[in-house]
Amino acid sequence: MNFIARTCTLAAICLIASCYNLLAQNTIDGQITDRSDRSPIPGVVVKIANSFAATITGPTGQFHMDKLQGDSVTLEFSHIAYQDTSVRVSLSAGNTSLQWSMSPGIYLSKEVNVIATRANDQSAIAYTSISKDELDVVNLGQDLPILLQLQPSVTTTSDAGNGVGYTGLRIRGSDATRVNVTINGIPVNDAESHQVYWVDLPDIAASVDNIQLQRGVGSSTNGPGSFGGSLNMQTTTLQQEAFTELNSFYGSFNTHRNALKFGTGLLHERFALDGRLSIVHSDGYMDRATSNLQSLYLSGGYYGAKQSLRAVVMIGKEKTYQSWYGVPEDSLATNRTFNMAGLYYDRSGQVQYYDNQTDNYKQDYYQFLYARELGHDWLFNAALFYTKGKGYYEEYVQEPMIDGGGLDPDSMTDSIYIQPAHIQQRWLDNDYRGLVWSLQRQFAQVDFTAGGTFSAYNGLHFGEIIWQNYTIIPEEPYRYYQDTASKKDNSVFFKATWNFREGWFLMSDAQLRHVNYTFTGKDTNGNPLPAEAPLTFFNPKVGLTYSPDSRNRWYASASVGQKEPTREDYLASTPKSRPLPERMIDYECGYRFTGNHISTGLNLYCMDYVSQLVLNGSINDVGEYVRESIGDSYRTGVELDATWAPSNHWQVQGNVTISRNRIKNYNDYVYDGASGSTIMITYANTSISFSPEIISGAVLTWKPVKGLSFSLANKYVGQQFLDNTQSDDRALPAYCFQDVRVEWSPVVKKIKSFSLRGAVYNVTDRKYSTNGYTYGGNYYYPQAGINFMGGVTVGF
């Protein structure tokens, strides 16, 4: 009942806020046409400048905006095939009519390669859009997940404790393997682990033009299926003027970010090149949790009026000292930054740490993006991509390495060490290539999109011993294991939005996806053998949207989501115990009001799982979570967000998610010391691990004068359980922290742009952890106390 009461309270708040639209009565009825032939242009985004209010033109180019305030407004018009334009409109009492025309675009340079997988106001989907300006304000050197931590239903993690190095995000409690990530419409998730290792994309936010974050199953996309959410990124678009920009930031824990950005502008009215070089270093909050990150971004292309061809290269290189293992619970109070990685004992029995207990990886992304406008109604795009990853992590192991590879403990010689030791490297060498495409057509009342992905992956996994203090191998390096994997992922989707009646939109979306994963596994006796896991998924979606006017939108949808297990899920099983694919139906409904000074929305969701792979609280030897398959479970909740800008000096943004995340019947197997056997304990209606019931974020921004702004941010995350037994003894306590930011952008002669930015994180010096696990005890990942970052950006 408490959950229902809180839901109703939030709904009431949202409806009260929406009454703001009753304060004004002026309206505009208009039509947008092509300047050359006066034909109507559907799909034009019409926005009131300096406000949240916007609408989209219908099949005959018409639009309607009501409840406008003031004597006049500025309307801004944008369309992918036309030049952006704006007009100042005087408002008369009652209704104002407007006829406006747009010129065909000179360059095809907008979001051609991402719109096929994005939602819009006609989609019955919960989503948030983040602009380049919003990213720049918070980008002082931390990884992208940390920059998104105030978004609705998002929680983030940082192994090093200060947002640099290994970081991650969860959406609605779903871990990163369920969050589909694309860059320019191209899949980024690792084909085997389904993870996105943001440490391999250092400072990617500096080259992102905009992001759309969808919650739930969302729209059909490319790559591993979206199961908890999707993150769709568009890299920098055409800059018509040449520029150079320098960024330099420094802060706590010897953290510094230096970046050089440049662009040639438009050359010969058709060609452009831009790029970025970034170096990010941090000693980390945790002991020895250093990060040395390097990144290169290059984009060059041809831009015509009807077509564009662009090549994008992204290279990321990282070396981080391992901080995967967390801090034992009994050390949190006495040694909060304790990092056990690399620990060993010398001949005197003293604790030492291996200097090179590091993770080393290089990942290169190559994208070739082609788009062509076929008349005013058809748009085609295709992209070839190739991703190359290669690297290893190195560790000091103070115990004999014995396996079926011929390592014999009887061959060990005398050692000056207390116990035998060796150094090993575990390698991953992979190649991922493919094609993504889409074809879009705008009919009189129907927007149609078809698209798909064809991709192939090959991965080589192997381990080598590179040093020993006893003789167990004939020579160094010694390869003690090796296995290969390949994966083919082919999918096709069809989407249509039908404006079947004034203000009514019917959305249909269907994806057919076939995955064939071949790998080296084990039989029931533990013997290695090749294994194959072919799977075919059909993921239909349907939604209904009602927009009675430009300010109000109601929607409801039902979507089927399915995805395959990860590599680790397969390796932990035999052919007789293969994990089931994950399946669910996602029900969403909501309301959004957009006014001149306020935008607010309410979304209700129920993610009903037929089968789900959930974290059981333990981790493997590289710090990755172990999952197990369960039956009936669900995630249901309410998401409320609002932005209010009463004047040019003040803005308040906030969101809150209240949810209930349950497994109907969970069986836990524990060893009973008294009987010497394993017993099963059943938990009914127990909480899903790492799924807080309350998540909220808020930002208060004050701009006293032009070019100067202060903001106070607050993040709250409720209690999370480390496993699925809902035990308070194995839980991550609720936490809350506040950050303060300041930005000053004065006008400096002979300099194109200049800004000073700084932030004080966790200003109240809270002691909290954002992640953990339980395996022979509880382990936590503490976050830094009060710390700072600050620096300068200069543009020429």
Side-chain angles (χ1 to χ4, degrees):
M1 292 300 294
N2 289 336
F3 175 74
I4 295 174
R6 285 180 288 189
T7 302
C8 292
T9 300
L10 285 174
I13 293 171
C14 185
L15 292 175
I16 291 171
S18 70
C19 292
Y20 189 87
N21 68 347
L22 299 177
L23 296 179
Q25 301 299 325
N26 295 326
T27 64
I28 295 177
D29 283 299
Q31 184 185 39
I32 310 300
T33 59
D34 186 298
R35 182 161 295 172
S36 59
D37 59 13
R38 300 302 176 186
S39 60
I41 310 175
V44 177
V45 176
V46 183
K47 183 180 182 297
I48 298 178
N50 301 317
S51 81
F52 304 113
T55 188
I56 299 176
T57 59
T60 59
Q62 81 286 354
F63 70 92
H64 174 80
M65 306 191 81
D66 56 11
K67 300 179 177 63
L68 304 177
Q69 300 177 25
D71 298 327
S72 63
V73 294
T74 297
L75 298 182
E76 299 175 339
F77 307 98
S78 62
H79 188 280
I80 194 167
Y82 290 83
Q83 298 181 49
D84 293 348
T85 184
S86 63
V87 62
R88 187 76 176 173
V89 180
S90 298
L91 299 176
S92 59
N95 182 269
T96 299
S97 296
L98 176 69
Q99 292 286 329
W100 193 253
S101 60
M102 298 178 68
S103 299
I106 301 175
Y107 313 108
L108 188 62
S109 60
K110 299 182 182 179
E111 301 174 10
V112 178
N113 296 98
V114 301
I115 58 175
T117 55
R118 287 202 168 179
N120 56 41
D121 285 345
Q122 299 171 1
S123 307
I125 292 172
Y127 69 93
T128 305
S129 297
I130 303 103
S131 68
K132 172 180 171 56
D133 291 341
E134 292 173 299
L135 285 174
D136 286 344
V137 168
V138 296
N139 184 20
L140 305 184
Q142 296 171 314
D143 294 347
L144 185 63
I146 307 302
L147 307 186
L148 301 177
Q149 64 185 352
L150 295 175
Q151 298 302 315
S153 298
V154 169
T155 58
T156 59
T157 64
S158 171
D159 287 4
N162 67 322
V164 181
Y166 271 86
T167 59
L169 81 165
R170 300 186 178 109
I171 301 176
R172 293 181 179 173
S174 295
D175 63 58
T177 65
R178 277 76 162 264
V179 178
N180 172 275
V181 179
T182 58
I183 297 179
N184 299 325
I186 293 173
V188 176
N189 298 70
D190 181 81
E192 292 191 272
S193 70
H194 301 182
Q195 290 275 2
V196 173
Y197 297 101
W198 297 100
V199 71
D200 300 328
L201 288 162
D203 205 22
I204 183 62
S207 295
V208 168
D209 184 76
N210 59 81
I211 295 176
Q212 184 176 96
L213 192 155
Q214 298 179 15
R215 306 188 295 277
V217 171
S219 177
S220 287
T221 184
N222 301 315
S226 171
F227 212 66
S230 62
L231 199 62
N232 185 312
M233 293 182 282
Q234 164 80 19
T235 58
T236 52
T237 55
L238 173 64
Q239 303 295 311
Q240 297 193 32
E241 295 184 2
F243 70 92
T244 302
E245 182 180 287
L246 298 173
N247 294 268
S248 184
F249 294 89
Y250 183 81
S252 301
F253 318 115
N254 193 29
T255 303
H256 49 85
R257 169 197 171 223
N258 294 291
L260 167 66
K261 298 174 65 176
F262 64 89
T264 62
L266 202 58
L267 302 175
H268 303 291
E269 299 185 350
R270 284 293 180 266
F271 301 93
L273 173 70
D274 64 271
R276 171 187 52 82
L277 177 64
S278 298
I279 299 176
V280 180
H281 170 86
S282 178
D283 291 344
Y285 169 66
M286 302 298 295
D287 295 342
R288 304 178 313 285
T290 55
S291 297
N292 290 289
L293 316 176
Q294 301 171 36
S295 175
L296 172 68
Y297 172 87
L298 287 174
S299 173
Y302 164 82
Y303 300 91
K306 300 293 184 180
Q307 63 182 342
S308 67
L309 178 63
R310 187 159 66 109
V312 175
V313 177
M314 294 174 287
I315 297 176
K317 185 178 181 181
E318 61 91 5
K319 181 174 184 177
T320 57
Y321 196 97
Q322 297 169 20
S323 54
W324 297 331
Y325 304 112
V327 178
E329 186 172 22
D330 56 8
S331 297
L332 276 179
T334 58
N335 190 4
R336 189 174 181 80
T337 62
F338 172 63
N339 181 7
M340 68 183 77
L343 185 151
Y344 70 94
Y345 295 92
D346 64 16
R347 63 181 300 179
S348 302
Q350 300 298 311
V351 171
Q352 302 291 338
Y353 293 96
Y354 179 51
D355 290 339
N356 203 40
Q357 188 91 359
T358 56
D359 181 65
N360 307 263
Y361 202 76
K362 182 174 180 286
Q363 188 129 315
D364 304 336
Y365 300 82
Y366 303 94
Q367 302 179 350
F368 300 92
L369 314 169
Y370 176 73
R372 183 173 181 85
E373 180 190 336
L374 307 174
H376 295 323
D377 299 327
W378 288 93
L379 187 63
F380 171 77
N381 78 75
L384 293 171
F385 66 90
Y386 173 63
T387 303
K388 174 64 179 179
K390 187 174 183 179
Y392 65 92
Y393 69 90
E394 184 171 311
E395 60 183 353
Y396 188 100
V397 181
Q398 199 165 41
E399 62 182 11
M401 186 64 186
I402 304 172
D403 68 3
L407 305 184
D408 183 4
D410 294 333
S411 66
M412 294 186 299
T413 60
D414 293 336
S415 171
I416 63 171
Y417 291 80
I418 288 179
Q419 64 187 88
H422 66 270
I423 299 172
Q424 64 185 23
Q425 293 179 348
R426 294 191 178 186
W427 282 82
L428 173 60
D429 185 354
N430 57 23
D431 300 270
Y432 184 37
R433 61 187 67 83
L435 165 72
V436 300
W437 65 276
S438 71
L439 181 65
Q440 299 147 63
R441 169 69 194 268
Q442 199 165 51
F443 296 92
Q445 292 180 290
V446 176
D447 289 345
F448 172 79
T449 301
T453 307
F454 305 98
S455 66
Y457 168 91
N458 296 99
L460 174 63
H461 304 259
F462 63 91
E464 294 181 339
I465 295 175
I466 63 170
W467 174 86
Q468 59 179 333
N469 71 334
Y470 52 95
T471 305
I472 60 172
I473 58 176
E475 60 182 11
E476 301 165 4
Y478 173 77
R479 186 165 295 190
Y480 64 94
Y481 81 87
Q482 177 175 309
D483 62 73
T484 60
S486 64
K487 185 176 183 179
K488 294 183 179 179
D489 187 345
N490 301 319
S491 66
V492 62
F493 62 80
F494 300 92
K495 306 178 186 180
T497 301
W498 178 27
N499 184 193
F500 65 93
R501 188 176 178 182
E502 183 67 29
W504 290 88
F505 301 89
L506 179 63
M507 177 196 78
S508 61
D509 184 337
Q511 180 195 55
L512 182 64
R513 180 168 175 254
H514 179 74
V515 177
N516 192 10
Y517 182 43
T518 304
F519 59 99
T520 302
K522 295 182 179 180
D523 63 16
T524 54
N525 297 317
N527 299 315
L529 50 73
E532 187 174 15
L535 293 168
T536 300
F537 302 119
F538 177 61
N539 299 318
K541 307 170 182 67
V542 64
L544 183 66
T545 301
Y546 173 54
S547 298
D549 50 49
S550 62
R551 300 190 171 224
N552 297 277
R553 179 169 69 98
W554 304 82
Y555 61 88
S557 65
S559 307
V560 173
Q562 303 179 86
K563 70 183 300 292
E564 71 276 20
T566 68
R567 168 185 168 82
E568 293 300 323
D569 296 329
Y570 281 122
L571 294 184
S573 66
T574 67
K576 291 185 178 181
S577 62
R578 289 282 181 254
L580 297 173
E582 297 189 278
R583 292 185 172 91
M584 76 161 170
I585 302 178
D586 179 19
Y587 304 95
E588 309 260 347
C589 66
Y591 165 74
R592 175 158 293 279
F593 167 74
T594 304
N596 291 334
H597 301 286
I598 188 170
S599 174
T600 183
L602 177 71
N603 186 72
L604 305 176
Y605 67 89
C606 177
M607 303 165 72
D608 188 14
Y609 299 87
V610 177
S611 62
Q612 182 182 185
L613 288 161
V614 299
L615 305 178
N616 64 11
S618 61
I619 62 171
N620 62 19
D621 57 352
V622 296
E624 293 185 343
Y625 283 91
V626 177
R627 307 191 303 174
E628 59 182 305
S629 183
I630 59 171
D632 290 343
S633 56
Y634 63 89
R635 301 178 190 270
T636 185
V638 55
E639 298 165 322
L640 174 66
D641 69 272
T643 301
W644 180 42
S647 72
N648 293 332
H649 301 292
W650 292 95
Q651 179 173 279
V652 182
Q653 297 173 285
N655 60 77
V656 61
T657 300
I658 300 177
S659 64
R660 185 175 177 86
N661 314 280
R662 293 291 187 269
I663 304 170
K664 294 182 179 179
N665 287 288
Y666 175 70
N667 297 323
D668 188 30
Y669 297 88
V670 298
Y671 177 75
D672 181 28
S675 63
S677 61
T678 300
I679 61 174
M680 182 181 75
I681 302 176
T682 299
Y683 296 87
N685 205 34
T686 184
S687 291
I688 302 175
S689 59
F690 301 98
S691 301
E693 294 195 346
I694 300 179
I695 304 172
S696 70
V699 182
L700 172 64
T701 302
W702 176 44
K703 299 178 180 180
V705 295
K706 185 178 180 180
L708 179 64
S709 68
F710 300 89
S711 64
L712 171 64
N714 181 84
K715 182 71 176 183
Y716 175 84
V717 178
Q719 182 188 43
Q720 303 173 66
F721 294 102
L722 299 179
D723 63 11
N724 302 299
T725 63
Q726 200 170 330
S727 170
D728 288 332
D729 294 332
R730 293 190 290 274
L732 190 66
Y735 61 87
C736 180
F737 62 86
Q738 295 79 37
D739 299 335
V740 173
R741 299 180 183 275
V742 60
E743 180 176 16
W744 182 38
S745 302
V747 176
V748 180
K749 292 182 178 180
K750 298 183 180 180
I751 294 180
K752 186 175 181 180
S753 63
F754 179 85
S755 69
L756 296 171
R757 284 182 284 154
V760 180
Y761 305 108
N762 192 9
V763 292
T764 55
D765 201 27
R766 300 288 182 91
K767 302 295 189 292
Y768 69 98
S769 300
T770 59
N771 206 2
Y773 64 94
T774 179
Y775 187 73
N778 296 336
Y779 296 80
Y780 298 92
Y781 294 83
Q783 302 301 289
I786 184 170
N787 64 102
F788 77 95
M789 281 289 293
V792 60
T793 297
V794 182
F796 302 95

